[in-house]
Amino acid sequence: LPSRSLRRRFIRAMARLMAFLTATGWKIEGLEHLEGSPPRVITANHSSYLDGFVLAAVLPPDAAYLVKAELRDNAFARIFLERIGCVFVERFDPQKGEGASIQAMAALERGDHLVIFPEATFDRSPRLLPFHMGAFVVAARSGTPVVPVVLRGTRAKLRSESWWPRPGDIAVTVCPPMAPQGDTWADAVVLRDRVREAIAARLPGA
């Protein structure tokens, strides 16, 4: 497709079609916190490979996703993700991570929401993993509010280390935005803890 906007809208339509064809029920709450809003940093819990599809179906299409840099090793994935405006992040190299922060802030400046899974990975356990700092450093430095998003049902529908989906419905809760109180590392830590508490409070077993 000729533009990034059209590509994102097409992906959103295909994700919704996939939900319809698989008879997946949806319960979505709180989208008013994003509709018509200026750019936000959106952070969601991560429990399944389905999480990205769910967010693509639910969130506004003007969103850039942070994805692991290892996906660059796959030519098809790299081209696809680059053409929809994803930001590649080195999860294990702090020096390269700083470059990703600059790209992330550039995405906010051009008007995109920035979508991040702060756990960076998931496993079979239903617990909420520790949050990495990247999303919250970007939010604090740019003065951008963070919108916590809670995903429920994706882990049961497609479990870790499995490619065989199961029947089940999905619930998405978009929480009210949380503004950073300053631009320092300490402010980012406070923001991270507030966001994690908000997600954990709405996530059974976290």
Side-chain angles (χ1 to χ4, degrees):
L1 294 171
S3 73
R4 180 179 293 167
S5 175
L6 284 176
R7 294 168 205 149
R8 289 175 173 175
R9 291 179 186 277
F10 177 78
I11 290 171
R12 189 185 195 207
M14 291 300 100
R16 292 185 173 193
L17 177 62
M18 184 175 72
F20 172 77
L21 293 176
T22 56
T24 300
W26 294 91
K27 182 180 180 183
I28 304 169
E29 300 176 328
L31 272 181
E32 66 274 8
H33 297 306
L34 286 173
E35 291 175 347
S37 75
R40 297 284 189 252
V41 174
I42 299 170
T43 58
N45 59 297
H46 198 14
S47 56
S48 170
Y49 288 118
L50 283 180
D51 294 339
F53 289 99
V54 172
L55 293 181
V58 172
L59 297 179
D62 52 341
Y65 291 75
L66 260 70
V67 299
K68 60 184 180 181
E70 297 97 295
L71 290 171
R72 279 188 174 138
D73 296 336
N74 182 300
F76 176 80
R78 183 185 71 251
I79 294 171
F80 173 79
L81 294 170
E82 285 177 347
R83 286 177 64 80
I84 61 173
C86 289
V87 177
F88 293 90
V89 179
E90 288 283 354
R91 296 183 293 171
F92 311 112
D93 188 331
Q95 292 183 339
K96 292 182 179 179
E98 181 64 24
S101 295
I102 294 172
Q103 294 179 55
M105 285 191 278
L108 292 169
E109 289 173 0
R110 68 172 178 252
D112 283 342
H113 296 299
L114 190 64
V115 183
I116 304 173
F117 295 109
E119 295 168 275
T121 189
F122 60 89
D123 57 28
R124 298 181 66 88
S125 169
R127 66 192 174 94
L128 196 62
L129 300 176
F131 281 10
H132 292 251
M133 286 295 297
F136 310 101
V137 170
V138 168
R141 286 181 179 177
S142 62
T144 304
V146 175
V147 175
V149 174
V150 183
L151 303 175
R152 297 185 299 275
T154 56
R155 186 190 304 275
K157 196 166 181 65
L158 186 63
R159 297 177 180 177
S160 175
E161 302 175 1
S162 171
W163 293 105
W164 189 258
R166 301 162 181 258
D169 296 338
I170 292 171
V172 182
T173 301
V174 181
C175 304
M178 298 182 176
Q181 301 303 305
D183 60 2
T184 68
W185 177 268
D187 295 316
V189 170
V190 170
L191 182 60
R192 178 201 62 187
D193 293 344
R194 290 170 58 205
V195 169
R196 193 177 189 281
E197 288 173 4
I199 292 177
R202 297 167 173 84
L203 196 63

